[in-house]
Every structure is written in structure tokens, then in C-alpha cells.
Amino acid sequence: MKRTCWMIITLCLTLLLCGPAMAQHSGPYVGAFIGGNALMNAKASDDLGDFSLTFDKALQGSAVLGWDFEPGNPVGEGRLELEYTRRSNPLDQVKFVEGSFKGNGTVTAGSLLLNFFGVYHDNSRFSPYAGVGIGAARVEAADLQVAGQPMSSGSAVVFAYQVGGGVDVALTDYLNLDIGYRFFSSTRPTFTEINGNTFDMDYSSHSAVLGLRLGF
């Protein structure tokens, strides 16, 4: 079984590295991505002062609908797309002046962004790209707890943006493998604590993503 797997991997790599270059797709496409999401330590503040929250790493998923520009387009080489992504990270710890305490619950962000990626094309299968996106995110705090005690639940809609880059790998004239990185951030969402006070927190994350885009 292991020998068969290695033979398949070797064959795929040979096709990618030695196969003929694919024609550049232009027109609409759809895609799906999966990735690992690392939510950065979040600084937060309420009426009693500042504190911080740390989160565990988790998976994320995305769906995209976009348009590949034609070669020589005056806008430039690249693509424009609408992307929905869902990120959900478990709360690990909450740190106050008094010390750190075990956290529970999750913070989830569902974002809808309009992305523009500039793509460098040559005669190979590999096309590096970089770009930006702007839009909105619904950030939800679900049953957040500190040391087993309820802290907050609720949601907020905030402005969001991302920057990213990666490499497109042409598998066929219409199918691309996308290997990329994204930095995602938003304005501070506001949540209501159990005692009625409110607190604001940072939301920024790093993600490594892998996806397939199918043109039609």
C-alpha cells in the first residue's frame, strides 16, 4: 500500500513538473478551500481594565465565486472573487492582572469579502499571486467562560479585510490547485458580559490554505 501511494505521488509530481504548460483560463470559476487558522492573542478591554485572550488553532473553510481576467486585460493580470470563509477557534486562556485562568467556549467569524489578486503568468504551470480583500464579518462569542464561570455570549458585525499571496498550480486548462497564505483582521467587535458590561477585543488571524478552483 505504501509503495502504491508513493508511486501515485511521484506520478503526480512528474506530471506537474514535466507536463506541458496549460492555457490560461479566463472567465468565471468556483472554488473551495480548507486551511489551518491561528487566531492571534487578542487584547480586550472593559470598564474594569484591560485583559487578553488566547485561542487554540483550528481549521477553516472557504467557498469562492470569481472571474479570471483575460490575458492583456487593461485592469491587469489576475482575478476578482467573492469569498465566504468560516473560522472558529476555541478559547484557551484569559489573562488578567491577577493571573491566567482557563477559558472555554469559541469565537467564530463568518466573513464575506471581495478579493482582488494580481497573478504573474509565464509559460510554466506555476503562477505566483498576491492581493487584498475587503468586506464584513460576523464575529460570534459562543458561551465564553473563565475558570468555569460564564463570561459572555453574543455577536457583532464588523468591517473586515485581508491580505494574502500564494501559488496557483495549473492541473488542467480549467482546474487549478491554490496553495496560499492569508492574514485576516477586523475592527474590534463588542460583546456584552454576563454582568451587563461590554468589552471590545482584537480579531486578527494567520491562515495557510489549500484549495481547488474550477473554471467554466
Side-chain angles (χ1 to χ4, degrees):
M1 178 63 73
K2 289 184 178 180
R3 171 179 280 185
T4 302
C5 291
W6 278 113
M7 288 176 63
I8 294 173
I9 293 172
T10 301
L11 178 60
C12 291
L13 289 175
T14 301
L15 290 173
L16 285 175
L17 295 174
C18 301
M22 298 298 173
Q24 182 180 336
H25 171 261
S26 61
Y29 65 83
V30 295
F33 290 75
I34 190 170
N37 179 50
L39 186 56
M40 298 172 62
N41 293 351
K43 294 182 179 179
S45 57
D46 61 14
D47 294 340
L48 300 178
D50 297 332
F51 57 98
S52 64
L53 303 93
T54 60
F55 299 87
D56 293 327
K57 299 177 179 63
L59 294 177
Q60 69 175 51
S62 304
V64 299
L65 174 64
W67 189 279
D68 284 315
F69 298 145
E70 294 182 1
N73 190 294
V75 176
E77 298 282 331
R79 61 182 186 269
L80 187 69
E81 69 180 24
L82 190 64
E83 172 201 296
Y84 174 78
T85 300
R86 187 178 186 276
R87 307 164 176 85
S88 187
N89 296 84
L91 177 62
D92 180 33
Q93 287 190 329
V94 183
K95 184 177 181 180
F96 300 97
V97 175
E98 298 85 357
S100 297
F101 300 88
K102 176 62 179 175
N104 287 291
T106 59
V107 171
T108 300
S111 61
L112 186 65
L113 301 178
L114 182 64
N115 298 324
F116 172 75
F117 291 108
V119 184
Y120 174 74
H121 294 286
D122 57 18
N123 293 324
S124 77
R125 291 172 176 263
F126 302 91
S127 302
Y129 69 86
V132 298
I134 59 171
R138 181 179 181 270
V139 184
E140 179 182 9
D143 299 321
L144 298 188
Q145 299 179 15
V146 181
Q149 299 300 311
M151 176 185 177
S152 176
S153 289
S155 63
V157 177
V158 292
F159 170 79
Y161 68 92
Q162 72 176 0
V163 296
V167 177
D168 287 340
V169 184
L171 302 179
T172 72
D173 287 347
Y174 295 94
L175 184 64
N176 279 64
L177 176 68
D178 188 321
I179 305 168
Y181 160 81
R182 306 287 187 269
F183 172 77
F184 175 85
S185 189
S186 76
T187 54
R188 286 186 132 200
T190 300
F191 302 114
T192 301
E193 299 175 351
I194 297 301
N195 60 14
N197 293 333
T198 60
F199 75 93
D200 302 327
M201 61 168 280
D202 298 332
Y203 191 99
S204 298
S205 70
H206 299 279
S207 304
V209 297
L210 180 67
L212 288 173
R213 301 196 322 275
L214 177 64
F216 56 94

